[in-house]
Amino acid sequence: MKKRVFTLPDDRPSRLVVLISGVGTNLQALYAATTNAAYGAEIVGVVSDRDTAEGLRWAQSRGIPTATVCMGDFPDRESWDVAFTAAVQSWEPDLIVSAGFLKILGPKFLAQWPSRVVNTHNSLLPSFVGIHGPRDALRAGVKLAGATLFIVDPGMDTGPILAQVAVPVHDDDDLETLTQRIKVAERAQLVASVGRMVQHGWWIDEVRAGFESD
Ligand SMILES: Nc1nc2c(c(=O)[nH]1)N[C@@H](CN(C=O)c1ccc(C(=O)N[C@@H](CCC(=O)O)C(=O)O)cc1)CN2
Ligand SMILES: NCC(=O)N[C@@H]1O[C@H](COP(=O)([O-])[O-])[C@@H](O)[C@H]1O
């Protein structure tokens, strides 16, 4: 695949939709960044796969529109994919940020926004895919853990990597201390990276991705 470059309109704030399943601290960090007009983006919607996601309540308290599309309300994954895509499309996003979203995004969704869906994951990929990144890092005894921002593809945590940040694993870490150290670094990386995507653009080739420079 030839290198492809993506840029967003610079005559208006870019429209971000954020996908969550839980607390939403990444969402909160992104929102804080968007309150500065120079960041160049606004969060136009937050979507979850479960109505128990605490981040939904937080978004509503800030006046951000929210939607929930539960997989269990649909007969199969394919029809959920169609409904989930329609819910996100209703906000006409320029870029979609999956941040602690715990469902595999389907082919319909990814075809609607090719190379415009990013996911933040709490491990240094390709190590420790799935939903237990910090736990699996501790079990493996690694000395460095971290977070990865990547362009979502049909696989699980296999898309081209945009950015990575490493944190040390301390000898006395438990799951909570390591998880929180990763999350602090992860939030900073997410905010900086989405800012670069919005302001300068990004590129993707066969296996790699990166930011356009200013
Ligand atoms: N097509 C893709 N979708 C998503 C990716 C991705 O790389 N490609 N990353 C994620 C998030 N993710 C970890 O980063 C992840 C999400 C979901 C699962 C998973 O096994 N989900 C189960 C349900 C689990 C649950 O509901 O608690 C499922 O989908 O049946 C693993 C990893 C965002 N989506
Ligand atoms: N593989 C999915 C996964 O484990 N994602 C992780 O869930 C956390 C969500 O935190 P938040 O809800 O506070 O933003 C984040 O650390 C994210 O990497």
Side-chain angles (χ1 to χ4, degrees), residues 1 4 104-105 110 115-121 123-127 129-130 147-164 202-210:
M1 186 201 303
R4 287 175 298 150
I104 297 297
L105 293 161
L110 296 177
S115 303
R116 288 172 185 268
V117 184
V118 294
N119 181 64
T120 181
H121 177 70
S123 81
L124 292 174
L125 293 172
S127 294
V129 302
T148 303
L149 183 74
F150 62 94
I151 309 269
V152 175
D153 73 5
M156 185 174 78
D157 299 335
T158 51
I161 292 172
L162 271 167
Q164 289 188 301
W202 66 100
W203 60 264
I204 178 169
D205 67 15
E206 289 91 348
V207 291
R208 300 179 308 156

Side-chain angles (χ1 to χ4, degrees), residues 92-106:
E92 301 183 344
D94 295 307
L95 183 64
I96 296 157
V97 180
S98 161
F101 183 68
L102 296 180
K103 286 286 183 296
I104 297 297
L105 293 161

Side-chain angles (χ1 to χ4, degrees), residues 6-80:
F6 298 82
T7 54
L8 297 180
D10 60 5
D11 57 346
R12 59 168 175 80
S14 294
R15 297 172 65 80
L16 307 181
V17 167
V18 182
L19 314 182
I20 61 165
S21 296
V23 182
T25 60
N26 282 292
L27 164 68
Q28 294 176 28
L30 260 184
Y31 176 79
T34 64
T35 60
N36 180 349
Y39 190 72
E42 59 182 334
I43 297 176
V44 296
V46 174
V47 190
S48 183
D49 62 313
R50 56 196 77 189
D51 54 21
T52 51
E54 289 174 48
L56 285 174
R57 251 50 73 200
W58 182 88
Q60 288 155 5
S61 76
R62 294 296 186 283
I64 304 170
T66 64
T68 302
V69 187
C70 300
M71 198 176 272
D73 293 340
F74 295 86
D76 50 38
R77 204 171 260 276
E78 290 68 30
S79 50
W80 173 79

Side-chain angles (χ1 to χ4, degrees), residues 157-208:
D157 299 335
T158 51
I161 292 172
L162 271 167
Q164 289 188 301
V165 60
V167 300
V169 181
H170 297 163
D171 290 347
D172 60 354
D173 267 336
D174 58 23
L175 183 56
E176 181 60 18
T177 57
L178 181 59
T179 298
Q180 292 309 322
R181 190 176 308 116
I182 292 169
K183 287 186 82 164
V184 171
E186 179 181 38
R187 287 194 289 271
Q189 171 172 263
L190 180 67
V191 168
S193 298
V194 169
R196 292 179 72 177
M197 295 176 83
V198 163
Q199 294 158 29
H200 304 300
W202 66 100
W203 60 264
I204 178 169
D205 67 15
E206 289 91 348
V207 291
R208 300 179 308 156

